[in-house]
Amino acid sequence: MIVTTDTGAAMVVIGPNGERVRIRSLARRPMLASACEAFDHLRLSPGAHHVLPGRPDTETVLHVLRGAAVVGQLSDEPDHLASEGDLLLARRGRALHLEAGPLGAELLCLTLAVPRHPAGTRAALARRRATRRDRP
């Protein structure tokens, strides 16, 4: 498991109008070892836009720590205004479009690996058990 405690280990993305998105990975683990793929800390400057790409085998949970953000999944679905304390779950595989409010936003983002069907769950558990038996 990779765990980051250093405050300098952040990536800053600069948008076209100078808005900033600061992303710091708090923890990552290989998919076979845990359902948690990534645990990230996001800080968006006021009005900043950021897209969290989705994959068919993951779900995303967002927790708004400070500020507010408009969160959208698809153009044909309504956007949601998420404010401090809100917890949002994105549908499997959906990209999330974030836009920070006028005071910016700070969020925790948890990305979880989810199997496509029950047979995948059984296979993943069998692989995990087999690897554990191989350890000294």
Side-chain angles (χ1 to χ4, degrees):
M1 180 180 210
I2 300 167
V3 178
T4 303
T5 56
D6 181 16
T7 57
M11 175 178 71
V12 177
V13 179
I14 309 291
N17 297 322
E19 64 268 10
R20 299 166 85 75
V21 177
R22 184 176 184 265
I23 304 168
R24 185 165 66 118
S25 176
L26 301 176
R28 295 195 179 275
R29 179 176 257 181
M31 199 165 104
L32 293 177
S34 171
C36 177
E37 283 210 350
F39 190 47
D40 298 316
H41 181 225
L42 303 169
R43 282 190 184 165
L44 288 78
S45 66
H49 293 265
H50 186 64
V51 176
L52 295 169
R55 290 194 335 250
D57 58 345
T58 63
E59 288 182 348
T60 303
V61 179
L62 286 175
H63 182 230
V64 182
L65 300 174
R66 267 185 268 187
V70 174
V71 181
Q73 292 186 57
L74 288 174
S75 58
D76 61 342
E77 292 180 2
D79 292 341
H80 301 281
L81 176 61
S83 56
E84 192 170 313
D86 286 350
L87 186 68
L88 302 164
L89 175 64
R91 293 183 188 171
R92 181 189 311 231
R94 298 285 173 92
L96 289 176
H97 303 271
L98 306 173
E99 180 182 348
L103 301 176
E106 185 175 355
L107 306 99
L108 286 178
C109 176
L110 177 62
T111 305
L112 300 167
V114 290
R116 292 177 190 248
H117 49 76
T121 303
R122 285 192 291 277
L125 288 173
R127 283 192 303 271
R128 188 178 298 171
R129 284 188 200 113
T131 17
R132 286 183 181 161
R133 284 188 209 122
D134 294 342
R135 293 181 190 166

